[in-house]
Every structure is written in C-alpha cells, then in structure tokens.
Amino acid sequence: MIRQLSRSTTSALAVATAIGLFNVQVAHAAVSVTDEAVVVDGAAAEGAAAPQDPASPEAAAEEQNNSGLTDIVVTATKRETNLQKTPISISVLGEDDIKKRSVQSLMDLADGSVPSLRITTFESRQSALTIGIRGIVPDDANQPAREQGVGVYLDGVYLGRQHGLNAALYDVQRIEVLKGPQGTLFGRNTEGGALSMVLKQPTGEFGGRVSGGIGNYGSYNTQLHVNLPEVQNVSIKLDGVIQHQGPTIRNSMPGQAGFNQFHRIGGRVAARWRPIDDLTIDFAFDKSRDENTPFYSQLVTITPAALATLPKDSLGNPLITYGYGRMDVTDIQVPMQDSVGIAQGFTSSIKYKVSADLELRSITAWRTVSDEQWDNSGGAHRTPVWGPNVNFSRYSLATLDQRQFSQELQAVGSLGDSVEFVFGLYYFNERANDTARTPNTNRWNATVTGYTIIDPLTYPLATLSRASIAYSKSYAAYGQVTYAVAEPLRITLGGRYTRDEKNGRLFTVNGAATSFTFDQENTRFDPLAVIAYQVSPEINFYAKYATGYRAGGASSRSLTYLSFGPEEVKSYEVGLKTELFDRKVRFNVAGYIMDRSNSQVDFNFFIPQTNGTVRNTLETVNAIGTTKIRGIEADLTIRPIEGLSMNLSYAYTYTKVPPARNTVQEALNATLPVPITTPVFQTVFVLYTPENALSGSIDYDVPVGGNGTLLRFHVDANYSDPVHTFVSETTLTDKSFLVNGRISLADMPMGDGGQKLTVALWGRNLFNEEHIYRRSAANTTLGDYANYNAPRTFGIEGTINF
C-alpha cells in the first residue's frame, strides 16, 4: 500500500531526542575534507566557546598565532600529530569548515570540496552512497557480500555498509581524509584510503549550543548539543538533530512523495568516566532515521524509433518530456514514498596510560543498519518501452538488514625520543541480508494515449527477484614502528596480517527457491615503508610505499551467485609539505603511482521478465592485467593578513583499466540460435573520477562593534571534469562548477551570562548551475537517461552558544 510517513510523529520524536528523552543519533555519514588550512581549533568556529581574557598569556599567544596559519592536529597514525609533519597525504575539515560550507550530511560534499574525494548516490538513491578516493570507486557495493574500496570510520569504528552513510552530520570535531592505501593501520577495504570522523566528547563543564533555520523547498533544521557538569568523575554529552527538505522535483501525482527530498532525525548520548587520572572510559550510543527519495531520471536523448511512437494524449500533446534541462515537475505521475534507513550503534572506548611512554586502548562496537528502499525514479524514461497495454515505471523495492561487531586492541607508545610504535589486534564480524522486487506501477492504455496506476496493494506481492544472506569475519594483527635515525631523518616500517572468512547464500532468484552459495577464505600481508626527511622546520619531504585491498565476495544480483576474489593495490608516493613566509603560506603537494591487480569489474544487464517486470542482473569478474592509476594532488593556503585566508586544491588523476572479459555476454551469446563461443573482452572505465578537479575558497572575517562580534564572509567554488558513471559505457557526464557562500554575524554577546548569538545567510549552488552527474546510454531502444544535480538552495539560521 502507498503510505506517507507522518511528519508530526517523526518531528515529535526528534524534539524529544533534542531534549535528551529519546535515543540520540550520531551522524555516521562519512565526511570528507580538504587539505587546506582549516581551523580545527574549536575557539575559532562560529558559536564556539567564549574567548580567553585578552590580557592572559594564552590569549596573547593565540593572538600572535592568528596572524599566521593554524596548526592542524590529525590522528592518521593512531596518535595525535601535526598535519605538516605527518608523512601521509591528508585532508582535514574542521567544525568551522562544515558550518561555512553549509554541510548537513556527507552528500553535501559531493560538490567536489575535496578534489581527490568523490561522493555520489548509489544509482540515484540517497539511501546509500558511493565513496571513492584516488580513482578507487566501487561500482555496485550495495549488496550484502560486496565491499567498499574506501573505509569509513566513526570514532575509530569501521562502518561496514554503504547504507546509512548519508545520515545527518553534526558536532564533528574533525574529519580526516587519508589518501592512498591504508592497509597497515586501517586494514581491509581501504585500498583507496579512509574517511575518519572524530566526534566531540563530553567536556564535564556545562555548556552547549542550540541552532535552527529555514530555507527554500520547505527546508528547516535544528540542533541541540549540551554538555552536562561532571558528577562523580562522569561527564555526559547530549546531541540531537532534525533536518528536512521538501522535493526539488515535484511529483505530478497528488499525495505522493517528490524527488530529492529528505527528513532526518537522530541523536547521540556520550558519557566519559575517569575513575582515576590515567584511565578514561568513553561510552556512546547513537541512533538515526533518514527518510529520503531518489533523484529523478530523465530521458535526455531519444532514438528516432522511440520518437516516432512517442505517447501522446487525445489532443496530440506529448505525454513524455525529453531533452536536456532539469525538470521542476515530473511529466509522468508515479506512486512514490520515502525510503527509510535506520542506523544505530554502541561504542565503548577505553584508554589506560600505563606510563608516560605507553598507552593501552580498547575499542568495542556494535552497530546495525536497516534500509527499506522505495525507488520509482524512472517513470517512462527507462525500461520497459512504451506500447499498448504495456506496464511501465519500474518500482525498485528492496530491503537490507545488517549487524556488525568489532573489537580492536592497541598499544601506542615510544622508546625514548627515537622510537614510536603502534601495535594492534582487530576482529570484525558481520551479517547482512537483502531482498528485492521490481513491480511496475503504471500501465499504458490500448491506444497509448494515457495510462492508469496499477493497484498499489499488488506491489509487495510482486515476484521476489532476489534474496540473499552473507556472513563475514576478519582477523588482523598489525604493527608500525617509526625510528628517528638522525635529527632530520625518520624511517617508518609497518605491516598487517589479515585473515578474511566470507560465505553466503542466494536462496531466491526470480521467485524460485535456489541453493547457490559461495565460501571464501583469504589471507594477506600488507606492508608499509616511509622515509621522512625534515629539510628545515618548515619543509618536510617523504616517500612512501604501501599496499591495500578490497575483499572478494559475490553478487546477489547474479543469476548464479558467481563469486570473485579480492582486488589489490600497490602505491608509490612522494610528497612535500611546506609552511613559508612566517607561516602565512602553506603548500603541500603529492604525486603517486598506483597499480591495481584483479580489479573487480561489474557487467550489468536489465533483462525483461515474462511477468512484465525488468530484472537488474549483474555479474562481477576479476579483470586480467593491471589497472594503472596516476595522480598529482596540490593544496595551497594563503593568509596574507589577519582575518583573510584563501585556499586552492587541485587533483589530477589518470586511469587506465585493461579490457575485462565479459562472461555474462559470453553466456548470452551461447544461447543464440547460432551460438557464439568467442571470448568477449570489453573496454571498461574507472567510475566517478575526473581527470581534473579543482576547489577554491576565500574567507574574510571583520571585527565589528569592539565586543568580539565578527562579520564573516565565505565563498567556495568547485570544478570537476566529466566522468564515467557506468563501467562499460563510453558515455560521459557533464562537467560541473558549483559555488557556495555564507555571510554571518557571529559571536554577538547576549547579556552577562556569556551567551552568544550567530545569525547567518547561506546558499549552495548559488548560480543554480545544472549538470548531469549520472548518465547511461545502455537503453538503445529509448535513448540516454540521466540524473541532474540539486538546484540552488538557500536559507537563514541562528545559533545560540551558552
């Protein structure tokens, strides 16, 4: 049955969440960032804590530091280090940068804010995200037995599925984007890199902030973050969030959901216990609910044959709109409701400082993700074709349910001034299952001059196209040691041994019970070697060799649950990190060569079924040969005068995948009246990876009123070359150029209680630029279909710090 979720119910729950009466949520969407000079110091962010007394020595030191660039702290090596002295290519986004770019969830960083990082919807759905770094971008990892190529971490906990990554983002201390293989310290499924989110922890002092705002497309948002006073060595922090946006493309069918809309609620409860000085125990529980709809699929080109039979009403008016340009209202009425994703988890983190030179850590986590998918984004713009009494508008109804447990033990320390080490043990256990069915919701009449809606009660009764379950276990032991050979020279050696055990069962295919299974066990060793040389206190050079891998598995979209093996990558990287002109200029550059073997390549076919539905069939193979990925990344930050900063980031990426053997096409060829037995090798491409990508921003803060109030200006612009979005199609998307901006009056005093008010106007895609971000030419009968980016959004918001 078609249903609409109750906004009043979810809003009431969210309000209860915000005041700490409901389970709270963490924004476990992975977040990306730039390698620019970003402020991770909370005192510099809008709505941050009150500044120090101007007369204090600390304030004087801070004022002096404000004339140059700010230090950026990262934990990429499992210890806190200065970004400039860490021999890894890293981008960092702090709390202030998230606010300035009006980022509510990970999807908002799909504009290219970090040139090497690519984020996009899976298919056109916001319910699951595809994330890539340096050309390592999975095609279809949206299945129980498939894996991502970039690891996503929340406070050190690996998130095993693409689902749930677009939940609301809030109260993040910093996000680290680690570029290149992270096989030693982070392990499996980090061949492209890792996204590591670090959330704010309880402070033990009363304070917090509340914010709210409204915008176009009926959007509104509110957040509440509260630190409670420490009691009996226990500190508690409460976080709650609501985010809402109406459809940017309206559904012409009354009473039905539109497209690119969302309603997110959630929160988080965190507690920190310090029973003794050297022992810190953190507990956190988070829960999120994300209701959303996909982007609309539009027919942008049409074949002559399709044009000749284009459906028209009784007056001769076309019923289907085709051509370039983002729609405002759908041409075809389709039943549509929100997809619903729920994610939650509990984390326990223990740190015990045995001595000044040794800290023992434990990270224990349980997490779950469930997703109920309703995707009717195709209308009459995708298969099947139109015709008399033909059913159309494929409604993709799918479910996913995942459970995971992980345990990690670490020993982090040093031996004197010359040796630093990290040793660890890791265990991961996951179970995930899915189902899918694809009923058609509309039917053309006998003269193709109109259509009717098929009874919604029949949708859940449609033939189950697939159902599967998969289990995964991973065991690892790792170590990394850095030795200061001489004052300017440091050598790091590391390695990780991993054992993966995976198995699964595909027990339904096209409504029939099946018994297809797969069972894999793989072991591997991922080494690391780094040479770092400090030319001067402001100039650091490094050379790095590392490996990583993405685990194998099986495709539940396959007709026979065909399995495939892991893919591996070897990376060679050199980098230079500099701070010049009295820390007013920061320039970092890295060049890398990556060779990937056994590349996992997907071949996709939409096969019409006898019942009128269309089945998405996908087989995955390991390509023969070596995929070559080459690139350069450069980041420049300039702060010429106090209050003004300018940033520019660039990424060049070259990719070349050897032709892959298309075993699916070979199987189809073998069924022809005259069978063809010749092997089929097909040209394939790396997905969502522009050859050139560029991001720049300008920030200017002006003191006003003499009471600490700042007038803040921010603008950022992001460019990307066209990309491939289907592995075996030569078709490219459009190039993109997106500009975002924000003006705020920040930190206005509110009486004698120390409260401060910030009011801001913000806009995303200020010039309302439109581009195709996903395009397919696979349907040679109808024409190319495509999905457009979101239109301009804007709003006003206020924040009170207390």
PDB file of all heavy atoms in Angstrom, residues 716-749:
ATOM      1  N   ASP A 716      33.053  29.468  -1.719  1.00  0.00           N
ATOM      2  CA  ASP A 716      33.882  28.398  -2.276  1.00  0.00           C
ATOM      3  C   ASP A 716      33.350  27.997  -3.640  1.00  0.00           C
ATOM      4  O   ASP A 716      32.142  28.100  -3.905  1.00  0.00           O
ATOM      5  CB  ASP A 716      33.949  27.189  -1.340  1.00  0.00           C
ATOM      6  CG  ASP A 716      32.601  26.517  -1.117  1.00  0.00           C
ATOM      7  OD1 ASP A 716      32.202  25.697  -1.955  1.00  0.00           O
ATOM      8  OD2 ASP A 716      31.954  26.807  -0.076  1.00  0.00           O
ATOM      9  N   ALA A 717      34.250  27.589  -4.510  1.00  0.00           N
ATOM     10  CA  ALA A 717      33.899  27.181  -5.877  1.00  0.00           C
ATOM     11  C   ALA A 717      34.582  25.857  -6.160  1.00  0.00           C
ATOM     12  O   ALA A 717      35.748  25.643  -5.784  1.00  0.00           O
ATOM     13  CB  ALA A 717      34.338  28.239  -6.881  1.00  0.00           C
ATOM     14  N   ASN A 718      33.864  24.960  -6.853  1.00  0.00           N
ATOM     15  CA  ASN A 718      34.341  23.597  -7.054  1.00  0.00           C
ATOM     16  C   ASN A 718      34.080  23.155  -8.495  1.00  0.00           C
ATOM     17  O   ASN A 718      32.943  23.202  -8.959  1.00  0.00           O
ATOM     18  CB  ASN A 718      33.626  22.658  -6.085  1.00  0.00           C
ATOM     19  CG  ASN A 718      33.631  23.177  -4.657  1.00  0.00           C
ATOM     20  OD1 ASN A 718      34.606  23.056  -3.947  1.00  0.00           O
ATOM     21  ND2 ASN A 718      32.519  23.791  -4.250  1.00  0.00           N
ATOM     22  N   TYR A 719      35.141  22.710  -9.171  1.00  0.00           N
ATOM     23  CA  TYR A 719      35.042  22.311 -10.571  1.00  0.00           C
ATOM     24  C   TYR A 719      35.489  20.859 -10.727  1.00  0.00           C
ATOM     25  O   TYR A 719      36.456  20.414 -10.086  1.00  0.00           O
ATOM     26  CB  TYR A 719      35.922  23.190 -11.461  1.00  0.00           C
ATOM     27  CG  TYR A 719      36.066  22.642 -12.863  1.00  0.00           C
ATOM     28  CD1 TYR A 719      35.081  22.882 -13.813  1.00  0.00           C
ATOM     29  CD2 TYR A 719      37.155  21.853 -13.214  1.00  0.00           C
ATOM     30  CE1 TYR A 719      35.184  22.348 -15.094  1.00  0.00           C
ATOM     31  CE2 TYR A 719      37.268  21.319 -14.484  1.00  0.00           C
ATOM     32  CZ  TYR A 719      36.276  21.566 -15.425  1.00  0.00           C
ATOM     33  OH  TYR A 719      36.375  21.028 -16.686  1.00  0.00           O
ATOM     34  N   SER A 720      34.799  20.129 -11.620  1.00  0.00           N
ATOM     35  CA  SER A 720      35.200  18.765 -11.964  1.00  0.00           C
ATOM     36  C   SER A 720      34.986  18.526 -13.450  1.00  0.00           C
ATOM     37  O   SER A 720      33.986  18.973 -14.029  1.00  0.00           O
ATOM     38  CB  SER A 720      34.389  17.734 -11.169  1.00  0.00           C
ATOM     39  OG  SER A 720      34.702  17.792  -9.799  1.00  0.00           O
ATOM     40  N   ASP A 721      35.922  17.798 -14.059  1.00  0.00           N
ATOM     41  CA  ASP A 721      35.758  17.343 -15.440  1.00  0.00           C
ATOM     42  C   ASP A 721      34.631  16.308 -15.519  1.00  0.00           C
ATOM     43  O   ASP A 721      34.220  15.735 -14.502  1.00  0.00           O
ATOM     44  CB  ASP A 721      37.056  16.696 -15.928  1.00  0.00           C
ATOM     45  CG  ASP A 721      38.078  17.710 -16.410  1.00  0.00           C
ATOM     46  OD1 ASP A 721      37.710  18.878 -16.609  1.00  0.00           O
ATOM     47  OD2 ASP A 721      39.253  17.324 -16.593  1.00  0.00           O
ATOM     48  N   PRO A 722      34.140  16.029 -16.730  1.00  0.00           N
ATOM     49  CA  PRO A 722      33.159  14.948 -16.902  1.00  0.00           C
ATOM     50  C   PRO A 722      33.733  13.601 -16.466  1.00  0.00           C
ATOM     51  O   PRO A 722      34.951  13.395 -16.474  1.00  0.00           O
ATOM     52  CB  PRO A 722      32.871  14.966 -18.410  1.00  0.00           C
ATOM     53  CG  PRO A 722      33.226  16.357 -18.849  1.00  0.00           C
ATOM     54  CD  PRO A 722      34.382  16.757 -17.990  1.00  0.00           C
ATOM     55  N   VAL A 723      32.842  12.669 -16.082  1.00  0.00           N
ATOM     56  CA  VAL A 723      33.273  11.361 -15.587  1.00  0.00           C
ATOM     57  C   VAL A 723      32.432  10.257 -16.219  1.00  0.00           C
ATOM     58  O   VAL A 723      31.340  10.503 -16.738  1.00  0.00           O
ATOM     59  CB  VAL A 723      33.158  11.276 -14.047  1.00  0.00           C
ATOM     60  CG1 VAL A 723      34.043  12.312 -13.382  1.00  0.00           C
ATOM     61  CG2 VAL A 723      31.706  11.432 -13.591  1.00  0.00           C
ATOM     62  N   HIS A 724      32.964   9.046 -16.154  1.00  0.00           N
ATOM     63  CA  HIS A 724      32.188   7.851 -16.492  1.00  0.00           C
ATOM     64  C   HIS A 724      31.380   7.443 -15.269  1.00  0.00           C
ATOM     65  O   HIS A 724      31.881   7.492 -14.142  1.00  0.00           O
ATOM     66  CB  HIS A 724      33.110   6.703 -16.897  1.00  0.00           C
ATOM     67  CG  HIS A 724      33.878   6.942 -18.151  1.00  0.00           C
ATOM     68  ND1 HIS A 724      33.351   6.735 -19.405  1.00  0.00           N
ATOM     69  CD2 HIS A 724      35.147   7.379 -18.353  1.00  0.00           C
ATOM     70  CE1 HIS A 724      34.254   7.031 -20.327  1.00  0.00           C
ATOM     71  NE2 HIS A 724      35.350   7.427 -19.711  1.00  0.00           N
ATOM     72  N   THR A 725      30.142   7.004 -15.489  1.00  0.00           N
ATOM     73  CA  THR A 725      29.318   6.557 -14.369  1.00  0.00           C
ATOM     74  C   THR A 725      28.858   5.110 -14.519  1.00  0.00           C
ATOM     75  O   THR A 725      28.227   4.583 -13.602  1.00  0.00           O
ATOM     76  CB  THR A 725      28.095   7.469 -14.201  1.00  0.00           C
ATOM     77  OG1 THR A 725      27.351   7.538 -15.432  1.00  0.00           O
ATOM     78  CG2 THR A 725      28.532   8.874 -13.804  1.00  0.00           C
ATOM     79  N   PHE A 726      29.160   4.491 -15.645  1.00  0.00           N
ATOM     80  CA  PHE A 726      28.891   3.067 -15.838  1.00  0.00           C
ATOM     81  C   PHE A 726      30.150   2.432 -16.406  1.00  0.00           C
ATOM     82  O   PHE A 726      30.732   2.947 -17.366  1.00  0.00           O
ATOM     83  CB  PHE A 726      27.686   2.845 -16.757  1.00  0.00           C
ATOM     84  CG  PHE A 726      26.375   3.208 -16.120  1.00  0.00           C
ATOM     85  CD1 PHE A 726      25.917   4.521 -16.143  1.00  0.00           C
ATOM     86  CD2 PHE A 726      25.620   2.256 -15.457  1.00  0.00           C
ATOM     87  CE1 PHE A 726      24.724   4.875 -15.533  1.00  0.00           C
ATOM     88  CE2 PHE A 726      24.415   2.595 -14.846  1.00  0.00           C
ATOM     89  CZ  PHE A 726      23.968   3.908 -14.890  1.00  0.00           C
ATOM     90  N   VAL A 727      30.551   1.327 -15.821  1.00  0.00           N
ATOM     91  CA  VAL A 727      31.891   0.786 -16.047  1.00  0.00           C
ATOM     92  C   VAL A 727      32.140   0.389 -17.493  1.00  0.00           C
ATOM     93  O   VAL A 727      33.276   0.478 -17.983  1.00  0.00           O
ATOM     94  CB  VAL A 727      32.129  -0.406 -15.093  1.00  0.00           C
ATOM     95  CG1 VAL A 727      31.283  -1.615 -15.492  1.00  0.00           C
ATOM     96  CG2 VAL A 727      33.599  -0.774 -15.021  1.00  0.00           C
ATOM     97  N   SER A 728      31.105  -0.016 -18.221  1.00  0.00           N
ATOM     98  CA  SER A 728      31.313  -0.498 -19.585  1.00  0.00           C
ATOM     99  C   SER A 728      30.738   0.445 -20.639  1.00  0.00           C
ATOM    100  O   SER A 728      30.590   0.060 -21.801  1.00  0.00           O
ATOM    101  CB  SER A 728      30.682  -1.888 -19.746  1.00  0.00           C
ATOM    102  OG  SER A 728      29.303  -1.863 -19.433  1.00  0.00           O
ATOM    103  N   GLU A 729      30.412   1.702 -20.251  1.00  0.00           N
ATOM    104  CA  GLU A 729      29.854   2.662 -21.197  1.00  0.00           C
ATOM    105  C   GLU A 729      30.830   3.807 -21.429  1.00  0.00           C
ATOM    106  O   GLU A 729      31.412   4.341 -20.486  1.00  0.00           O
ATOM    107  CB  GLU A 729      28.526   3.213 -20.691  1.00  0.00           C
ATOM    108  CG  GLU A 729      27.433   2.162 -20.567  1.00  0.00           C
ATOM    109  CD  GLU A 729      26.099   2.774 -20.180  1.00  0.00           C
ATOM    110  OE1 GLU A 729      25.873   3.960 -20.514  1.00  0.00           O
ATOM    111  OE2 GLU A 729      25.281   2.092 -19.543  1.00  0.00           O
ATOM    112  N   THR A 730      30.979   4.201 -22.688  1.00  0.00           N
ATOM    113  CA  THR A 730      31.873   5.321 -23.019  1.00  0.00           C
ATOM    114  C   THR A 730      31.245   6.674 -22.703  1.00  0.00           C
ATOM    115  O   THR A 730      31.936   7.694 -22.689  1.00  0.00           O
ATOM    116  CB  THR A 730      32.238   5.279 -24.515  1.00  0.00           C
ATOM    117  OG1 THR A 730      31.030   5.362 -25.296  1.00  0.00           O
ATOM    118  CG2 THR A 730      32.964   3.980 -24.858  1.00  0.00           C
ATOM    119  N   THR A 731      29.944   6.692 -22.451  1.00  0.00           N
ATOM    120  CA  THR A 731      29.216   7.935 -22.189  1.00  0.00           C
ATOM    121  C   THR A 731      29.777   8.669 -20.975  1.00  0.00           C
ATOM    122  O   THR A 731      30.078   8.057 -19.949  1.00  0.00           O
ATOM    123  CB  THR A 731      27.730   7.626 -21.940  1.00  0.00           C
ATOM    124  OG1 THR A 731      27.229   6.876 -23.046  1.00  0.00           O
ATOM    125  CG2 THR A 731      26.935   8.900 -21.786  1.00  0.00           C
ATOM    126  N   LEU A 732      29.893   9.997 -21.100  1.00  0.00           N
ATOM    127  CA  LEU A 732      30.392  10.829 -20.016  1.00  0.00           C
ATOM    128  C   LEU A 732      29.290  11.740 -19.483  1.00  0.00           C
ATOM    129  O   LEU A 732      28.337  12.071 -20.200  1.00  0.00           O
ATOM    130  CB  LEU A 732      31.561  11.696 -20.492  1.00  0.00           C
ATOM    131  CG  LEU A 732      32.866  10.978 -20.834  1.00  0.00           C
ATOM    132  CD1 LEU A 732      33.808  11.930 -21.555  1.00  0.00           C
ATOM    133  CD2 LEU A 732      33.529  10.433 -19.573  1.00  0.00           C
ATOM    134  N   THR A 733      29.437  12.172 -18.240  1.00  0.00           N
ATOM    135  CA  THR A 733      28.540  13.166 -17.666  1.00  0.00           C
ATOM    136  C   THR A 733      28.958  14.554 -18.131  1.00  0.00           C
ATOM    137  O   THR A 733      29.876  14.717 -18.942  1.00  0.00           O
ATOM    138  CB  THR A 733      28.587  13.121 -16.136  1.00  0.00           C
ATOM    139  OG1 THR A 733      29.912  13.473 -15.711  1.00  0.00           O
ATOM    140  CG2 THR A 733      28.260  11.732 -15.621  1.00  0.00           C
ATOM    141  N   ASP A 734      28.309  15.582 -17.602  1.00  0.00           N
ATOM    142  CA  ASP A 734      28.724  16.963 -17.838  1.00  0.00           C
ATOM    143  C   ASP A 734      29.855  17.344 -16.883  1.00  0.00           C
ATOM    144  O   ASP A 734      30.034  16.725 -15.830  1.00  0.00           O
ATOM    145  CB  ASP A 734      27.554  17.922 -17.589  1.00  0.00           C
ATOM    146  CG  ASP A 734      26.387  17.683 -18.527  1.00  0.00           C
ATOM    147  OD1 ASP A 734      26.613  17.121 -19.612  1.00  0.00           O
ATOM    148  OD2 ASP A 734      25.253  18.055 -18.155  1.00  0.00           O
ATOM    149  N   LYS A 735      30.589  18.358 -17.223  1.00  0.00           N
ATOM    150  CA  LYS A 735      31.484  18.976 -16.249  1.00  0.00           C
ATOM    151  C   LYS A 735      30.625  19.728 -15.238  1.00  0.00           C
ATOM    152  O   LYS A 735      29.455  20.037 -15.502  1.00  0.00           O
ATOM    153  CB  LYS A 735      32.465  19.920 -16.928  1.00  0.00           C
ATOM    154  CG  LYS A 735      31.806  21.087 -17.654  1.00  0.00           C
ATOM    155  CD  LYS A 735      32.850  21.928 -18.379  1.00  0.00           C
ATOM    156  CE  LYS A 735      32.163  23.078 -19.127  1.00  0.00           C
ATOM    157  NZ  LYS A 735      33.150  23.896 -19.879  1.00  0.00           N
ATOM    158  N   SER A 736      31.188  20.034 -14.098  1.00  0.00           N
ATOM    159  CA  SER A 736      30.409  20.724 -13.070  1.00  0.00           C
ATOM    160  C   SER A 736      31.198  21.899 -12.497  1.00  0.00           C
ATOM    161  O   SER A 736      32.430  21.854 -12.404  1.00  0.00           O
ATOM    162  CB  SER A 736      30.027  19.762 -11.938  1.00  0.00           C
ATOM    163  OG  SER A 736      31.187  19.293 -11.256  1.00  0.00           O
ATOM    164  N   PHE A 737      30.471  22.942 -12.128  1.00  0.00           N
ATOM    165  CA  PHE A 737      31.069  24.105 -11.469  1.00  0.00           C
ATOM    166  C   PHE A 737      30.051  24.633 -10.472  1.00  0.00           C
ATOM    167  O   PHE A 737      29.034  25.228 -10.854  1.00  0.00           O
ATOM    168  CB  PHE A 737      31.436  25.184 -12.478  1.00  0.00           C
ATOM    169  CG  PHE A 737      32.078  26.397 -11.844  1.00  0.00           C
ATOM    170  CD1 PHE A 737      33.358  26.321 -11.314  1.00  0.00           C
ATOM    171  CD2 PHE A 737      31.391  27.603 -11.772  1.00  0.00           C
ATOM    172  CE1 PHE A 737      33.944  27.427 -10.716  1.00  0.00           C
ATOM    173  CE2 PHE A 737      31.971  28.709 -11.181  1.00  0.00           C
ATOM    174  CZ  PHE A 737      33.258  28.628 -10.651  1.00  0.00           C
ATOM    175  N   LEU A 738      30.303  24.399  -9.195  1.00  0.00           N
ATOM    176  CA  LEU A 738      29.357  24.735  -8.147  1.00  0.00           C
ATOM    177  C   LEU A 738      29.962  25.751  -7.194  1.00  0.00           C
ATOM    178  O   LEU A 738      31.113  25.601  -6.760  1.00  0.00           O
ATOM    179  CB  LEU A 738      28.959  23.475  -7.375  1.00  0.00           C
ATOM    180  CG  LEU A 738      28.257  22.397  -8.208  1.00  0.00           C
ATOM    181  CD1 LEU A 738      28.103  21.120  -7.405  1.00  0.00           C
ATOM    182  CD2 LEU A 738      26.900  22.884  -8.700  1.00  0.00           C
ATOM    183  N   VAL A 739      29.179  26.767  -6.862  1.00  0.00           N
ATOM    184  CA  VAL A 739      29.639  27.839  -5.978  1.00  0.00           C
ATOM    185  C   VAL A 739      28.702  27.902  -4.771  1.00  0.00           C
ATOM    186  O   VAL A 739      27.479  27.918  -4.920  1.00  0.00           O
ATOM    187  CB  VAL A 739      29.651  29.193  -6.704  1.00  0.00           C
ATOM    188  CG1 VAL A 739      30.095  30.306  -5.755  1.00  0.00           C
ATOM    189  CG2 VAL A 739      30.565  29.132  -7.927  1.00  0.00           C
ATOM    190  N   ASN A 740      29.297  27.953  -3.579  1.00  0.00           N
ATOM    191  CA  ASN A 740      28.544  28.052  -2.335  1.00  0.00           C
ATOM    192  C   ASN A 740      29.001  29.287  -1.563  1.00  0.00           C
ATOM    193  O   ASN A 740      30.143  29.735  -1.713  1.00  0.00           O
ATOM    194  CB  ASN A 740      28.763  26.809  -1.470  1.00  0.00           C
ATOM    195  CG  ASN A 740      28.567  25.517  -2.235  1.00  0.00           C
ATOM    196  OD1 ASN A 740      27.560  25.344  -2.913  1.00  0.00           O
ATOM    197  ND2 ASN A 740      29.524  24.602  -2.140  1.00  0.00           N
ATOM    198  N   GLY A 741      28.133  29.836  -0.724  1.00  0.00           N
ATOM    199  CA  GLY A 741      28.513  31.023   0.025  1.00  0.00           C
ATOM    200  C   GLY A 741      27.797  31.130   1.354  1.00  0.00           C
ATOM    201  O   GLY A 741      26.767  30.474   1.588  1.00  0.00           O
ATOM    202  N   ARG A 742      28.354  31.977   2.223  1.00  0.00           N
ATOM    203  CA  ARG A 742      27.770  32.183   3.546  1.00  0.00           C
ATOM    204  C   ARG A 742      28.206  33.549   4.082  1.00  0.00           C
ATOM    205  O   ARG A 742      29.372  33.929   3.959  1.00  0.00           O
ATOM    206  CB  ARG A 742      28.218  31.082   4.505  1.00  0.00           C
ATOM    207  CG  ARG A 742      27.643  31.183   5.914  1.00  0.00           C
ATOM    208  CD  ARG A 742      28.231  30.070   6.786  1.00  0.00           C
ATOM    209  NE  ARG A 742      27.738  30.101   8.142  1.00  0.00           N
ATOM    210  CZ  ARG A 742      26.656  29.469   8.575  1.00  0.00           C
ATOM    211  NH1 ARG A 742      25.938  28.747   7.724  1.00  0.00           N
ATOM    212  NH2 ARG A 742      26.284  29.529   9.839  1.00  0.00           N
ATOM    213  N   ILE A 743      27.278  34.296   4.660  1.00  0.00           N
ATOM    214  CA  ILE A 743      27.564  35.547   5.353  1.00  0.00           C
ATOM    215  C   ILE A 743      26.974  35.427   6.752  1.00  0.00           C
ATOM    216  O   ILE A 743      25.794  35.075   6.897  1.00  0.00           O
ATOM    217  CB  ILE A 743      26.956  36.758   4.631  1.00  0.00           C
ATOM    218  CG1 ILE A 743      27.494  36.871   3.199  1.00  0.00           C
ATOM    219  CG2 ILE A 743      27.232  38.038   5.407  1.00  0.00           C
ATOM    220  CD1 ILE A 743      26.822  37.980   2.399  1.00  0.00           C
ATOM    221  N   SER A 744      27.778  35.717   7.758  1.00  0.00           N
ATOM    222  CA  SER A 744      27.277  35.577   9.122  1.00  0.00           C
ATOM    223  C   SER A 744      27.745  36.717   9.993  1.00  0.00           C
ATOM    224  O   SER A 744      28.831  37.276   9.799  1.00  0.00           O
ATOM    225  CB  SER A 744      27.724  34.244   9.732  1.00  0.00           C
ATOM    226  OG  SER A 744      29.138  34.170   9.810  1.00  0.00           O
ATOM    227  N   LEU A 745      26.922  37.044  10.951  1.00  0.00           N
ATOM    228  CA  LEU A 745      27.289  37.956  12.028  1.00  0.00           C
ATOM    229  C   LEU A 745      27.436  37.074  13.262  1.00  0.00           C
ATOM    230  O   LEU A 745      26.448  36.566  13.801  1.00  0.00           O
ATOM    231  CB  LEU A 745      26.208  39.013  12.222  1.00  0.00           C
ATOM    232  CG  LEU A 745      26.588  40.228  13.074  1.00  0.00           C
ATOM    233  CD1 LEU A 745      27.774  40.982  12.465  1.00  0.00           C
ATOM    234  CD2 LEU A 745      25.391  41.169  13.212  1.00  0.00           C
ATOM    235  N   ALA A 746      28.687  36.874  13.675  1.00  0.00           N
ATOM    236  CA  ALA A 746      28.991  35.804  14.616  1.00  0.00           C
ATOM    237  C   ALA A 746      29.395  36.324  15.984  1.00  0.00           C
ATOM    238  O   ALA A 746      30.003  37.395  16.123  1.00  0.00           O
ATOM    239  CB  ALA A 746      30.119  34.933  14.052  1.00  0.00           C
ATOM    240  N   ASP A 747      29.052  35.548  16.999  1.00  0.00           N
ATOM    241  CA  ASP A 747      29.505  35.755  18.378  1.00  0.00           C
ATOM    242  C   ASP A 747      29.046  37.084  18.955  1.00  0.00           C
ATOM    243  O   ASP A 747      29.803  37.784  19.637  1.00  0.00           O
ATOM    244  CB  ASP A 747      31.031  35.639  18.466  1.00  0.00           C
ATOM    245  CG  ASP A 747      31.518  34.255  18.080  1.00  0.00           C
ATOM    246  OD1 ASP A 747      30.742  33.303  18.225  1.00  0.00           O
ATOM    247  OD2 ASP A 747      32.674  34.133  17.618  1.00  0.00           O
ATOM    248  N   MET A 748      27.779  37.440  18.721  1.00  0.00           N
ATOM    249  CA  MET A 748      27.226  38.656  19.312  1.00  0.00           C
ATOM    250  C   MET A 748      26.861  38.380  20.777  1.00  0.00           C
ATOM    251  O   MET A 748      26.104  37.439  21.058  1.00  0.00           O
ATOM    252  CB  MET A 748      25.970  39.087  18.541  1.00  0.00           C
ATOM    253  CG  MET A 748      26.246  39.532  17.112  1.00  0.00           C
ATOM    254  SD  MET A 748      24.718  40.013  16.250  1.00  0.00           S
ATOM    255  CE  MET A 748      23.979  38.400  15.942  1.00  0.00           C
ATOM    256  N   PRO A 749      27.392  39.150  21.723  1.00  0.00           N
ATOM    257  CA  PRO A 749      27.093  38.913  23.145  1.00  0.00           C
ATOM    258  C   PRO A 749      25.607  39.073  23.434  1.00  0.00           C
ATOM    259  O   PRO A 749      24.925  39.930  22.877  1.00  0.00           O
ATOM    260  CB  PRO A 749      27.916  39.985  23.859  1.00  0.00           C
ATOM    261  CG  PRO A 749      28.985  40.370  22.888  1.00  0.00           C
ATOM    262  CD  PRO A 749      28.364  40.249  21.535  1.00  0.00           C
TER     263      PRO A 749
END
